[in-house]
């Protein structure tokens, strides 16, 4: 089917079996993001310190937004801020590549499965939602200072 | 095909319906509640206007200006006639959203004017303690403007709640509409639930306490015969693009006695009587409410759309939709794992049908349908509070029109089961056979 590029096995697997889902007991900051066109919701919390950022999340929504949250948390929970920034930039770049991006699996791990999402402009927002929430929470926690979106 | 319309013939009038999408699938367009497709005759009418008579209306001393003005006013008369109204009571707007804002600003503006010693029509003046009534199934276009009016005037917003099966719960209407009520604004046919509301009863209740009433007829005028007198409202608004017409044009019909005392919304050229450096006086309706150069070509296109619908006959259009809606409701009810949000029978119900599929988010349902060529809308349909009322974050919605028939529904139903196989949620059908 033509949507096979969108719904990679990895995405469906993360959707059905989300990794690391759940909120932290205590957090330094959290961010709630919604996608007003379709009602996807995600809350991301951060705790720990800049060398070891702990990430918790909750959400409801489509397969793309929820799988993206799962992939993100699996990749970034317990990593330093520098790693978060590097992977965030790579993921955002991939989402803006209109499906022509060639992601580096070393950097993006399961995130490479989202390459096909970039061909569907309406779904890019879904994929980016948890990343925007993490970005916002990390700024609120003082882990990131730049106002980059 | 249904018994009321020759859909196969009608389809041929719509060039876009012969295209393919997503790698060769024939387009199955089931999103007419969002916007309808346009028949060739509407496109031709707009083009012919630009090719022969294009000019700014109500100004200019030349022949083209005269012809353009005539075309614009003829369009107004034709569209007014379509709903049984008088041309001077019909205002052209950008869309229904503007129509509702035009009325809501009449309240804000009159309230502000009265604070500075003006003497606007007292029916439009709001004070803390006054109330405005809507329903829990409004499109955001008929909710947010009233929230804004309340925020600017201190009035209170009330709403008619819904029953579990997606109808208005009118049991408390007597207390919701009381001496504090100044405005009652309700949707005729819900764009998310499909419910057709008893607006006459509600308008009569509003008038009994001296309140004004508006009917949002976006989803009714395109789909069933509507007569402005029979609805009993003071204002009726709808959009041209949902009834085969161009984008960028909408309508607001108002009772002349109410329009005549109403403050303008947008101001500037075309809406004035005389202008001095320190003040101005305003033209009579409808011109008072049409500031600036209006949408002339679009009015010509919309008049042609109205003629096209008249040729089919609105009774036949309505009969076709009722038949097709019953077919679609039945098919969705039979489909395993599918739950309809809204009335499940076709009594007092239009063709917009929202549903959820167990275990698959609407966005994903819509994506699989799209990959099979089926265009539907997903999300909250600009009726977020209605979704909340039914405890769903979003729905998938199919909505049909004159160019759809039961085969389109069949393709959609098949695509829903494809989505269920894809996401591994297929279950045994409600009839007991494998899906
Ligand atoms: C019931 C209802 N009201 C209002 C609107 C707003 O129409 P428009 O966006 O054309 O102004 C719509 C359109 O979706 C609608 O369905």
């Amino acid at each position: 089917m033509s949507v096979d590029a969108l719904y990679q096995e990895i995405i469906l697997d993360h959707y059905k079996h989300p990794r690391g889902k759940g909120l932290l007991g205590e957090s330094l900051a959290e961010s709630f993001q919604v996608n007003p066109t379709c009602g996807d919701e995600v809350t991301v919390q951060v705790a720990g310190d800049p060398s070891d950022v702990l990430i918790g999340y909750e959400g409801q929504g489509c397969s793309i937004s929820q799988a993206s949250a799962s992939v993100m948390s699996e990749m970034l929970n317990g990593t330093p801020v520098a790693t978060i920034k590097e992977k965030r930039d790579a993921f955002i770049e991939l989402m803006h590549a209109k499906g022509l991006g060639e992601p580096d699996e070393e950097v993006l791990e399961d995130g490479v499965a989202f390459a096909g999402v970039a061909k569907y402009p309406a779904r890019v927002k879904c994929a980016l939602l948890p990343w925007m929430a993490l970005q916002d929470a990390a700024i609120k926690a003082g882990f990131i200072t730049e106002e980059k979106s | 095909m249904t018994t009321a319309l020759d859909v196969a013939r009608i389809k041929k009038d719509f060039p876009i319906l012969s295209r393919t999408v997503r790698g060769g699938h024939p387009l199955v367009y089931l999103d007419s509640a969002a916007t309808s497709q346009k028949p060739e005759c509407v496109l031709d009418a707009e083009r012919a206007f630009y090719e022969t008579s294009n000019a700014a209306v109500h100004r200019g001393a030349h022949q083209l200006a005269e012809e353009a003005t005539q075309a614009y006013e003829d369009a107004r008369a034709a569209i007014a006639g379509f709903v049984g109204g008088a041309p001077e009571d019909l205002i052209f707007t950008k869309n229904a959203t503007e129509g509702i804002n035009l009325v809501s600003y009449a309240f804000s503006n009159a309230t502000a004017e009265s604070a500075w010693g003006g003497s606007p029509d007292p029916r439009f003046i709001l004070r803390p303690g006054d109330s405005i009534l809507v329903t829990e199934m409004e499109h955001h276009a008929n909710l947010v403007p009233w929230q804004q009016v309340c925020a600017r005037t201190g009035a209170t917003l009330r709403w008619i709640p819904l029953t579990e099966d997606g109808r208005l719960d009118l049991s408390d209407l007597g207390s919701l509409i009381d001496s504090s009520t100044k405005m009652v604004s309700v949707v005729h046919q819900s764009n998310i639930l499909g419910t057709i509301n008893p607006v006459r009863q509600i308008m009569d209740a509003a008038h009994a306490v001296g309140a004004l009433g508006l009917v949002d007829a976006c989803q009714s005028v395109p789909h069933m015969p509507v007569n402005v007198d029979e609805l009993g409202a003071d204002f009726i608004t709808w959009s041209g693009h949902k009834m085969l017409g161009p984008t960028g044009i909408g309508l607001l019909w108002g009772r002349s006695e109410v329009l005549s005392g109403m403050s303008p919304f947008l101001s500037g050229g075309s809406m004035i009587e005389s202008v001095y450096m320190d003040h101005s006086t305003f033209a009579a309706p409808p011109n008072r409410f049409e500031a600036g150069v209006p949408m002339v070509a679009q009015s010509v296109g919309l008049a042609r759309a109205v003629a096209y619908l008249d040729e089919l006959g609105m009774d036949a259009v309505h009969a076709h939709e009722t038949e097709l809606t019953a077919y679609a409701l039945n098919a969705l009810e039979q489909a395993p794992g599918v739950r309809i949000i809204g009335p499940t029978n076709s009594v007092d119900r239009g063709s917009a049908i929202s549903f959820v599929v167990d275990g698959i988010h609407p966005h994903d349902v819509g994506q699989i349908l799209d990959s099979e060529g089926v265009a539907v809308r997903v999300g909250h349909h600009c009726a977020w509070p209605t979704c909340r009322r039914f405890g769903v974050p979003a729905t998938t919605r199919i909505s049909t029109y004159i160019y759809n028939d039961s085969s389109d529904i069949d393709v959609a139903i098949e695509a829903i089961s494809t989505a269920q196989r894809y996401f591994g949620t297929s279950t045994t059908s409600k009839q007991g056979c494998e899906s």
Side-chain angles (χ1 to χ4, degrees):
Chain A
M1 263 170 87
S2 66
V3 283
D4 288 347
L6 174 67
Y7 295 120
Q8 297 277 313
E9 243 354 281
I10 296 176
I11 293 182
L12 294 178
D13 185 56
H14 274 273
Y15 175 50
K16 287 175 195 159
H17 312 286
R19 327 282 203 265
K21 189 166 176 170
L23 294 177
L24 304 169
E26 270 176 38
S27 70
L28 290 169
E30 71 175 44
S31 173
F32 172 68
Q33 299 287 326
V34 296
N35 179 351
T37 53
C38 64
D40 286 345
E41 299 180 352
V42 54
T43 300
V44 171
Q45 293 180 326
V46 295
D49 61 69
S51 64
D52 179 13
V53 179
L54 302 177
I55 298 172
Y57 74 97
E58 240 337 311
Q60 57 160 1
C62 70
S63 58
I64 303 297
S65 67
Q66 302 309 304
S68 179
S70 170
V71 167
M72 181 185 84
S73 122
E74 184 175 60
M75 189 164 28
L76 297 180
N77 190 20
T79 62
V81 166
T83 307
I84 291 179
K85 283 189 184 173
E86 180 201 8
K87 307 217 174 202
R88 172 204 65 193
D89 289 348
F91 192 78
I92 291 175
E93 189 188 321
L94 181 64
M95 285 302 99
H96 291 150
K98 303 198 158 67
L100 302 173
E102 281 175 23
D104 182 349
E105 192 159 0
E106 292 281 302
V107 179
L108 276 182
E109 303 168 37
D110 279 0
V112 297
F114 287 78
V117 174
K119 271 192 258 172
Y120 295 85
R123 307 309 293 271
V124 167
K125 260 193 196 165
C126 309
L128 287 176
L129 195 68
W131 294 79
M132 294 302 131
L134 174 60
Q135 163 86 356
D136 187 44
I139 289 172
K140 285 182 187 159
F143 290 167
I144 296 180
T145 48
E146 65 204 288
E147 286 288 333
K148 191 161 166 228
S149 67
Chain B
M1 103 154 232
T2 61
T3 48
L5 292 180
D6 183 353
V7 174
R9 188 186 63 72
I10 291 172
K11 269 187 202 275
K12 294 204 182 84
D13 293 337
F14 291 78
I16 204 170
L17 296 180
S18 59
R19 72 162 283 185
T20 58
V21 291
R22 298 286 185 215
H25 289 277
L27 171 65
V28 174
Y29 189 74
L30 293 175
D31 197 18
S32 292
T35 198
S36 72
Q37 296 303 345
K38 326 299 176 195
E40 201 157 14
C41 62
V42 167
L43 312 179
D44 289 344
E46 221 181 311
R47 184 184 181 97
F49 171 79
Y50 279 125
E51 285 179 347
T52 62
S53 309
N54 180 50
V57 300
H58 297 311
R59 40 167 86 65
H62 49 84
Q63 182 177 344
L64 295 188
E66 221 169 75
E67 287 179 13
T69 304
Q70 191 65 44
Y72 182 63
E73 293 305 330
D74 285 351
R76 190 195 305 278
I79 298 159
F82 183 71
V83 292
E88 58 274 19
D89 299 338
L90 191 71
I91 299 159
F92 283 121
T93 62
K94 179 173 69 164
N95 49 31
T97 303
E98 185 185 325
I100 296 165
N101 274 274
L102 195 159
V103 177
S104 71
Y105 268 91
F107 282 90
S108 304
N109 290 344
T111 304
E113 285 157 26
S114 75
W116 293 97
S119 48
D121 184 335
R123 287 174 294 185
F124 289 94
I125 300 173
L126 294 170
R127 298 191 179 82
D130 289 342
S131 65
I132 293 172
L133 181 70
V134 296
T135 78
E136 208 178 357
M137 63 167 85
E138 297 308 325
H139 188 281
H140 296 165
N142 195 31
L143 175 60
V144 182
W146 301 115
Q147 294 173 343
Q148 293 286 94
V149 168
C150 289
R152 288 191 289 257
T153 62
T156 304
L157 190 69
R158 296 176 175 176
W159 53 90
I160 302 172
L162 307 184
T163 63
E164 220 29 63
D165 60 347
R167 308 263 178 198
L168 290 180
D169 178 355
L170 294 173
S171 53
D172 274 335
L173 192 63
S175 52
L176 286 169
I177 297 182
D178 61 15
S179 58
S180 75
T181 310
K182 290 292 179 318
M183 179 65 186
V184 176
S185 194
V186 297
V187 67
H188 193 188
Q189 178 178 317
S190 161
N191 67 305
I192 179 167
L193 302 172
T195 319
I196 296 176
N197 292 317
V199 289
R200 176 79 208 211
Q201 178 193 349
I202 299 167
M203 291 298 118
D204 287 350
H207 288 149
V209 298
L212 294 169
L214 181 148
V215 171
D216 171 357
C218 268
Q219 300 292 344
S220 54
V221 170
H223 299 278
M224 62 199 258
V226 169
N227 177 286
V228 292
D229 287 329
E230 284 169 16
L231 292 193
D234 300 291
F235 303 101
I236 300 172
T237 189
W238 70 99
S239 287
H241 67 91
K242 296 181 198 282
M243 58 184 302
L244 313 180
T247 51
I249 186 163
L251 292 313
L252 174 69
W253 173 89
R255 252 175 350 103
S256 46
E257 173 269 316
V258 180
L259 289 180
S260 63
M262 216 165 102
S263 304
F265 169 44
L266 300 176
S267 51
S270 304
M271 51 76 73
I272 50 88
E273 183 185 55
S274 320
V275 177
Y276 306 90
M277 252 351 268
D278 59 345
H279 77 285
S280 300
T281 57
F282 305 127
N287 300 24
R288 186 190 304 163
F289 304 103
E290 295 179 357
V293 172
M295 46 304 264
V296 193
Q298 290 83 347
S299 76
V300 171
L302 183 56
R304 187 64 191 91
V306 156
Y308 183 92
L309 287 170
D310 261 337
E311 287 155 23
L312 297 177
M314 287 309 291
D315 283 322
V317 169
H318 186 47
H320 162 78
E321 299 231 28
T322 307
E323 204 178 315
L324 195 54
T325 301
Y327 182 88
L329 286 170
N330 183 53
L332 286 166
E333 281 216 294
Q334 303 293 322
V338 174
R339 181 162 60 94
I340 293 168
I341 308 292
T344 51
N345 59 48
S346 57
V347 179
D348 289 333
R349 191 198 203 294
S351 54
I353 307 177
S354 277
F355 59 91
V356 291
V357 180
D358 289 345
I360 315 180
H361 189 272
H363 220 165
D364 294 318
V365 175
Q367 194 82 56
I368 300 288
L369 265 60
D370 171 63
S371 76
E372 302 282 301
V374 184
V376 298
R377 173 126 186 229
V378 301
H380 51 57
H381 315 285
C382 297
W384 213 335
T386 316
C387 284
R388 282 205 196 91
R389 160 66 181 80
F390 289 99
V392 292
T395 72
T396 306
R397 179 186 72 187
I398 59 173
S399 58
T400 58
Y401 205 14
I402 54 172
Y403 36 66
N404 295 115
D405 59 19
S406 57
S407 70
D408 296 332
I409 305 296
D410 295 342
V411 177
I413 298 288
E414 184 50 41
I416 292 169
S417 73
T418 302
Q420 290 171 320
R421 281 195 299 278
Y422 202 90
F423 281 87
T425 62
S426 333
T427 46
T428 307
S429 106
K430 285 170 190 168
Q431 291 166 323
C433 54
E434 283 302 305
S435 67

